Amino acid sequence: PTVCKEKETVKTPVPEPQPAPPAAKPRPPPPPPPAQPKNPETAVSSNTTRNAPPAAPKTAPVTGLISSKTVESPPASGYASAPTSTREDSSNVQQQLKRSNRELKKVQAETRQLRKHVMQLNSQLEIAEAEMAAQRQELQRAAERMEKDRARNNEEREDLLDEHEEELEQLKEHYEKLLAEQKVHYED
C-alpha cells in the first residue's frame, strides 16, 4: 500500500486569476485515474497500476488556501515579463538619477553664485559702514568745532557789548562834562 502525506498549506489570499491570452488554446482536462482494485496485493502485482500516479489523498480539497509553492505559467509571448519591467524600472531610475544630478548641479551652481553675491554685498556693506563711521566721526568733530566757535563767538559778543556800554558811558560822561563847561562858560 502507498502512503501519501498531506502537504502543509499556508493561508494566503488567492490572487485573482489572470485571463488567458487569446491565442492560447484551453488545455483538455486530465484523464481520470485508473480504477484501483480493492485488494492491495493485486494493485502491487498489476503492471498498469505500478506505473500509474499515486492516488489522491482521501481528504477534500480546502478552498481559499494555496500551497506554499506556486508556479506561474510564462506569458504568452514566451519572454519573462519581470526582466523587461526590471530593465524599464532601472532605466527609469537611472533617468531620474541623472535628472536629479543635473538639478543638484544647477542648485549647487546657483548656491555658489548666491554665496558670491552675498560675499560681495557683505564687503560693500562693510565698506559703507566704514565710510559712515568715518563720516560720523568727521561730523562729530565738526559739531564740536562749531560748538566751540559758537561759545567763543558768544563770549566775544558779550565782551564787545560790555566794551560798547563802557565806551558809551564814558562818552556820555565826557559830553556831559563838556556841556556843563559850555554852560558855565556861556553863562558867565
Side-chain angles (χ1 to χ4, degrees), residues 18-24:
Q18 299 282 337

Side-chain angles (χ1 to χ4, degrees), residues 3-185:
V3 178
C4 292
K5 293 185 180 179
E6 292 183 13
K7 291 184 180 179
E8 290 183 17
T9 58
V10 179
K11 279 190 176 182
T12 55
V14 178
E16 294 184 28
Q18 299 282 337
K25 294 180 182 178
R27 294 183 182 174
Q36 292 185 356
K38 292 185 180 182
N39 188 352
E41 293 175 5
T42 56
V44 174
S45 63
S46 162
N47 286 339
T48 57
T49 57
R50 213 179 279 161
N51 294 335
K58 295 190 179 189
T59 59
V62 179
T63 58
L65 300 177
I66 58 172
S67 68
S68 61
K69 295 181 182 179
T70 54
V71 178
E72 294 181 9
S73 62
S77 64
Y79 294 106
S81 62
T84 306
S85 66
T86 304
R87 272 187 258 135
E88 289 174 0
D89 290 344
S90 66
S91 67
N92 287 340
V93 168
Q94 287 176 353
Q95 288 175 354
Q96 288 176 350
L97 182 62
K98 286 179 183 177
R99 251 185 269 126
S100 47
N101 282 340
R102 276 181 280 181
E103 289 176 9
L104 179 64
K105 286 180 182 179
K106 284 181 184 177
V107 168
Q108 286 174 342
E110 289 177 7
T111 303
R112 282 193 297 271
Q113 288 177 348
L114 288 175
R115 283 184 184 158
K116 188 176 180 181
H117 190 65
V118 166
M119 289 173 55
Q120 290 173 349
L121 289 175
N122 282 338
S123 64
Q124 290 174 357
L125 179 63
E126 289 174 1
I127 291 169
E129 285 177 346
E131 288 177 3
M132 286 176 59
Q135 288 176 354
R136 185 181 308 118
Q137 290 175 352
E138 194 174 319
L139 287 171
Q140 284 176 347
R141 283 183 289 210
E144 290 171 2
R145 278 195 308 266
M146 288 175 66
E147 189 63 35
K148 286 179 184 177
D149 290 345
R150 186 180 299 132
R152 189 178 62 224
N153 286 338
N154 282 339
E155 288 176 13
E156 287 177 0
R157 193 175 112 232
E158 287 176 8
D159 289 345
L160 284 173
L161 286 174
D162 289 342
E163 286 177 16
H164 286 187
E165 283 180 16
E166 286 177 14
E167 285 179 12
L168 280 172
E169 287 292 320
Q170 287 175 358
L171 283 174
K172 276 185 186 178
E173 286 176 12
H174 179 64
Y175 286 128
E176 284 178 9
K177 279 184 190 177
L178 284 175
L179 246 142
E181 285 177 6
Q182 294 275 335
K183 267 187 186 182
V184 172
H185 181 56

